Amino acid sequence: LTYLHLQSTGISGTIPVSLARLPKLRSFFAVNTNLFGTLPVEFGASTELRDLDFALTHISGALFDCHGANGLSSFSRIDLSSSRVSSTIPECFGRLARLQVFDIRG
């Protein structure tokens, strides 16, 4: 599985860690869903994931921890706008050379 798009499906519940562990996942869009809870740290360890979009969801908590998040360098787009993520932007995000979009608007 390389692309998982759940946009506007009405899916609800917490984000299963197993989704973040899919070895070839490149794109995960869960825009405008009823997903809630914290963003699994395993997303930050993925070396294939390029696009992560949880805009208009109910996810909350902290962003990725830079320690042990080797895969963050592969991200080109992270959209957490209108979610409930509540933390400071990790310092390592400034070193993500491939990151083109990082949206955390309220």
Side-chain angles (χ1 to χ4, degrees), residues 3 5 43 106:
Y3 298 93
H5 292 211
F43 278 121

Side-chain angles (χ1 to χ4, degrees), residues 42-64:
E42 287 82 0
F43 278 121
S46 171
T47 56
E48 293 293 322
L49 194 58
R50 305 291 185 263
D51 299 306
L52 187 65
D53 196 332
F54 282 97
L56 298 168
T57 62
H58 302 286
I59 63 164
S60 59
L63 292 173
F64 305 107

Side-chain angles (χ1 to χ4, degrees), residues 59-95:
I59 63 164
S60 59
L63 292 173
F64 305 107
D65 182 356
C66 292
H67 304 292
N70 299 330
L72 283 176
S73 61
S74 66
F75 281 93
S76 62
R77 183 175 177 276
I78 300 172
D79 188 344
L80 302 170
S81 59
S82 297
S83 65
R84 296 183 178 147
V85 173
S86 59
S87 70
T88 58
I89 298 171
E91 176 269 329
C92 65
F93 274 43
R95 296 189 309 267

Side-chain angles (χ1 to χ4, degrees), residues 6 18 29 34 51 58 65 98:
L6 304 172
S18 59
F29 287 89
N34 290 314
D51 299 306
H58 302 286
D65 182 356
R98 293 184 180 161

